[in-house]
Amino acid sequence: MLAGTAAGVLVPAVGMADSAYAAGLNRQITIYAEALPGGLYGYGLEPGKATIPGPLLEIYEGDTLEIELVNRTDQRLSIHPHGVNYDTGSDGAPLNASFNKPGETRTYTWKTRARYDAGGGFWMPGNAGYWHYHDHAMGTDHGTAGLARGLYGGLIVRKRGDLLPSRQYTVVFNEMMINHKMAPDTPILEARLGERVEWVCVGYGSLPHTFHLHAHRWADTRTGMLSGASDNAQTVDNKNLDPGSSFGFQVIAGEGVGPGVWMYHCHVQTHSDGGMVGLFLVRNADGSLPDGAQEAIDRFKLHDHSGHDMNPDGRTHA
């Protein structure tokens, strides 16, 4: 299984299941925080391999993930998760003095559990879901600079028995950028016809967004899949992606529509006009480009992404 990075380059996901996977497993990894060109920063699994977004981390409910964070920058920074359990020492916030000084190495511990019977007919939820992690200490006491400069990544907590995909991609909407890029330089994410593709969508910044994927749709559930023939969960192809929120889903590439080039974008129209558009390339099953795909990509590269103002009459003006 694979996980996506900023430019659609694939790197191994962390914490993947295997036949010997047991409940309560303790996973230990090292993440390096590093400076990148252009005043940006990223997380990586190896020295010199930091990316934006950082590596997609993945565990199962009941497992613990210990992260040794190595700060290879001259900035104060941390790593803070959503959706998992942690004590104040692993909060990643200056409020709890939980951060890495420049050059410092620190261990953060994230724990998960399955849902459990709380008594009286009530249940407490587990940690399964599509979450994310980010810096919470750079620049300000809330980590505003870290989020603005690329210190973030996707996090999946699975239930055992979940369907596993062939490809995974993390898509982050942050201000007017997708994975810290604007069209026509946004990621072109690829799959072959019929492959199961998992999307992890995350929102940051100060602007409201919605995520829309052309020609594909998913159930508005934890996984994007239906649980059975009687599951009547709403089917969607557009969902709010506001700052701090996240969701994920799986689709079968090209199912019912065939191979081709499909847009994914923010459906706030001024945002898509301004460059919040990327491409999902569904290749033929043999990996070749479908007819018309290269021409569509070339047209996208030539599109005007400078932004427009929309008048009440519906006409757009530069």
Side-chain angles (χ1 to χ4, degrees):
M1 293 177 60
L2 302 169
T5 62
V9 177
L10 300 178
V11 298
V14 176
M16 305 308 299
D18 56 43
S19 59
Y21 219 103
L25 192 62
N26 190 349
R27 310 286 294 186
Q28 298 176 328
I29 64 171
T30 300
I31 291 180
Y32 301 87
E34 299 180 318
L36 296 171
L40 301 178
Y41 295 84
Y43 297 113
L45 296 176
E46 300 177 36
K49 298 293 182 66
T51 58
I52 302 175
L56 177 57
L57 308 182
E58 181 172 348
I59 56 176
Y60 280 81
E61 282 186 325
D63 297 336
T64 295
L65 184 61
E66 293 183 2
I67 299 174
E68 181 184 60
L69 180 64
V70 180
N71 183 1
R72 303 185 74 203
T73 80
D74 61 0
Q75 302 289 314
R76 181 184 76 175
L77 53 80
S78 69
I79 189 167
H80 167 79
H82 286 224
V84 296
N85 301 336
Y86 48 88
D87 61 23
T88 55
S90 293
D91 183 29
L95 170 69
N96 285 308
S98 175
F99 55 80
N100 293 54
K101 297 176 182 178
E104 184 179 26
T105 296
R106 182 187 183 96
T107 298
Y108 298 79
T109 302
W110 304 347
K111 298 181 178 181
T112 65
R113 63 187 179 193
R115 66 175 64 184
Y116 65 91
D117 190 344
F122 295 95
W123 284 72
M124 289 293 289
N127 298 98
Y130 291 96
W131 308 104
H132 53 107
Y133 63 90
H134 57 85
D135 168 64
H136 216 306
M138 182 183 286
T140 72
D141 286 334
H142 297 291
T144 302
L147 283 171
R149 296 183 183 182
L151 283 172
Y152 50 73
L155 170 64
I156 301 175
V157 181
R158 294 197 190 278
K159 291 184 178 182
R160 285 172 172 77
D162 281 353
L163 287 170
L164 301 181
S166 300
R167 297 181 185 265
Q168 297 169 285
Y169 292 111
T170 302
V171 176
V172 177
F173 285 7
N174 190 353
E175 300 299 359
M176 290 291 289
M177 300 176 290
I178 299 177
N179 291 6
H180 251 74
K181 302 287 185 180
M182 298 178 69
D185 299 318
T186 44
I188 299 179
L189 308 180
E190 298 189 16
R192 295 188 181 195
L193 182 66
E195 286 188 316
R196 181 176 296 277
V197 182
E198 185 167 58
W199 299 69
V200 182
C201 303
V202 183
Y204 291 126
S206 301
L207 299 174
H209 298 296
T210 70
F211 173 90
H212 173 50
L213 175 60
H214 282 208
H216 298 76
R217 64 216 58 82
W218 61 95
D220 194 12
T221 62
R222 176 181 63 85
T223 63
M225 306 296 294
L226 297 175
S227 60
S230 61
D231 188 341
N232 294 315
Q234 182 183 7
T235 301
V236 299
D237 65 2
N238 189 79
K239 190 168 181 176
N240 286 0
L241 191 57
D242 294 324
S245 66
S246 60
F247 62 86
F249 60 90
Q250 296 180 7
V251 296
I252 305 301
E255 183 182 31
V257 297
V261 181
W262 312 103
M263 288 195 296
Y264 64 91
H265 62 91
C266 178
H267 224 301
V268 178
Q269 293 305 123
T270 53
H271 294 182
S272 57
D273 277 346
M276 293 195 72
V277 185
L279 299 180
F280 180 38
L281 169 61
V282 179
R283 292 178 174 269
N284 295 319
D286 64 2
S288 61
L289 276 176
D291 291 342
Q294 188 59 59
E295 291 82 356
I297 294 171
D298 293 342
R299 283 192 290 271
F300 174 78
K301 297 291 186 180
L302 295 174
H303 280 176
D304 180 7
H305 301 287
S306 59
H308 297 81
D309 293 325
M310 181 172 283
N311 288 345
D313 62 5
R315 293 178 296 173
T316 59
H317 303 275

